[in-house]
Amino acid sequence: RSSAAPTFGGADKAMAEHDAYFQMYLAQYGYLSPSVRNPSSGHIMDESSWRRAIAEFQSFAGLNATGELDEETTKVMSLPRCGVRDKVGFGESRA
Amino acid sequence: KRYALQGSRWRVKNLTYKISKYPSKLNRAEVDNELAKAFAVWSDYTDLTFTQKRSGQVHIEIRFEKGEHGDGDPFDGPGGTLAHAYFPVYGGDAHFDDAEMWSINSRRGTNLFQVAAHEFGHSLGLSHSDVRSALMAPFYRGYDPAFQLDQDDIQGIQALYGHKTQTDIGGPLPAAPSVPRA
């Protein structure tokens, strides 16, 4: 997988949807700003934020922190899990 | 130290809980038993006590819900998110996705006891641990018939509530020795 930040406007719609899914995942569990989950926020994510978020997740999950959204990483992201954030900081509280 | 503390904890050690909404596919008495066992995971290592109430105000409210259930964090059906819980500062409540196939003492489905023990860790103030073997690791690892709390979890809960000072002896206390009056 490419480590580049998803653009969602490219020809490869399936790839964009793939990236969007994991972008939402990283936002849901505290690795990216919650505004990523809200399309109307106009949030634009740069590649370094995307790579850093992936690397932080990998580090937390005991994977090699490459910053690449590789198969092993997406496999772990697909595991059933607790809905509480791993990282606090991007708006800790629940409503 | 690898465990993580959220930053809040209960000021009292005798906590109450209520199951306001039971899962649709399990026997209520069995659910009561599994959730009591899940609380006992934490009371085995601290002086915390957990008492189930059927009505009235409690510290920790437990609900099995599907989809959107009023807290802005909807469940997503089978797989994915299994449950979530609030830290003490936000009330300590625990919600379980009723779309999951909750199971008891079985390799099929998702083990209710293990997930509940994890969620109650949040209700008590523990965050996710990056120790893979810890109960407070965020990922469900499958049914473990020989489940034991990891040392990381024990250190975490005792950092919040201290060590257990009263030992359960499994029966009534012996009569106090008589002391001759002066």
Side-chain angles (χ1 to χ4, degrees):
Chain A
R1 283 292 306 115
S2 164
S3 63
T7 59
F8 312 120
D12 192 343
K13 189 181 172 191
M15 194 68 80
E17 287 175 353
H18 171 277
D19 283 349
Y21 172 83
F22 291 108
Q23 188 179 7
M24 294 285 276
Y25 181 100
L26 290 167
Q28 181 174 357
Y29 295 112
Y31 298 91
L32 286 171
S33 166
S35 62
V36 168
R37 298 175 74 187
N38 178 10
S40 64
S41 70
H43 182 97
I44 299 171
M45 188 174 50
D46 58 273
E47 183 174 342
S48 65
S49 300
W50 175 238
R51 289 184 65 101
R52 186 168 59 245
I54 295 169
E56 285 181 358
F57 173 82
Q58 289 168 326
S59 176
F60 189 85
L63 306 171
N64 285 331
T66 60
E68 304 280 339
L69 192 58
D70 54 26
E71 188 178 347
E72 190 181 14
T73 304
T74 57
K75 195 174 170 185
V76 174
M77 287 178 170
S78 303
L79 291 173
R81 60 161 292 157
C82 171
V84 174
R85 287 183 182 144
D86 299 331
K87 288 172 63 68
V88 293
F90 282 120
E92 174 198 5
S93 66
R94 291 174 181 277
Chain B
K1 163 179 127 32
R2 302 294 295 276
Y3 60 83
L5 309 179
Q6 179 268 337
S8 65
R9 67 183 175 92
W10 296 97
R11 293 183 185 183
V12 294
K13 293 202 171 176
N14 300 320
L15 297 169
T16 55
Y17 67 95
K18 177 171 66 180
I19 306 171
S20 303
K21 197 168 176 188
Y22 280 79
S24 49
K25 296 168 191 160
L26 285 178
N27 174 282
R28 286 190 173 210
E30 287 184 317
V31 172
D32 287 347
N33 189 49
E34 291 305 297
L35 297 193
K37 276 169 48 186
F39 277 117
V41 160
W42 301 109
S43 57
D44 280 349
Y45 290 94
T46 62
D47 282 340
L48 291 168
T49 69
F50 301 97
T51 305
Q52 184 176 4
K53 290 177 73 177
R54 301 286 175 189
S55 61
Q57 287 216 322
V58 292
H59 296 100
I60 297 168
E61 185 186 0
I62 298 160
R63 287 162 35 195
F64 289 77
E65 300 276 9
K66 284 181 182 172
E68 175 56 52
H69 52 281
D71 63 5
D73 209 349
F75 285 130
D76 54 3
T81 300
L82 304 174
H84 56 228
Y86 295 90
F87 297 115
V89 69
Y90 306 120
D93 294 351
H95 300 160
F96 297 83
D97 188 350
D98 198 27
E100 304 296 337
M101 188 182 142
W102 296 109
S103 64
I104 296 171
N105 297 330
S106 169
R107 291 189 187 281
R108 297 181 67 185
T110 306
N111 185 259
L112 175 59
F113 159 71
Q114 288 172 217
V115 174
H118 173 101
E119 296 307 325
F120 298 157
H122 291 312
S123 299
L124 296 173
L126 293 173
S127 287
H128 284 149
S129 172
D130 61 2
V131 175
R132 282 191 183 198
S133 57
L135 173 64
M136 292 314 295
F139 306 104
Y140 178 69
R141 295 191 305 271
Y143 175 54
D144 178 3
F147 170 84
Q148 280 195 316
L149 211 52
D150 192 271
Q151 198 60 36
D152 182 69
D153 303 306
I154 296 169
Q155 288 174 3
I157 199 68
Q158 290 183 338
L160 287 172
Y161 299 100
H163 291 243
K164 193 172 187 67
T165 59
Q166 298 169 2
T167 308
D168 296 330
I169 59 172
L173 290 168
S178 60
V179 180
R181 291 188 180 185

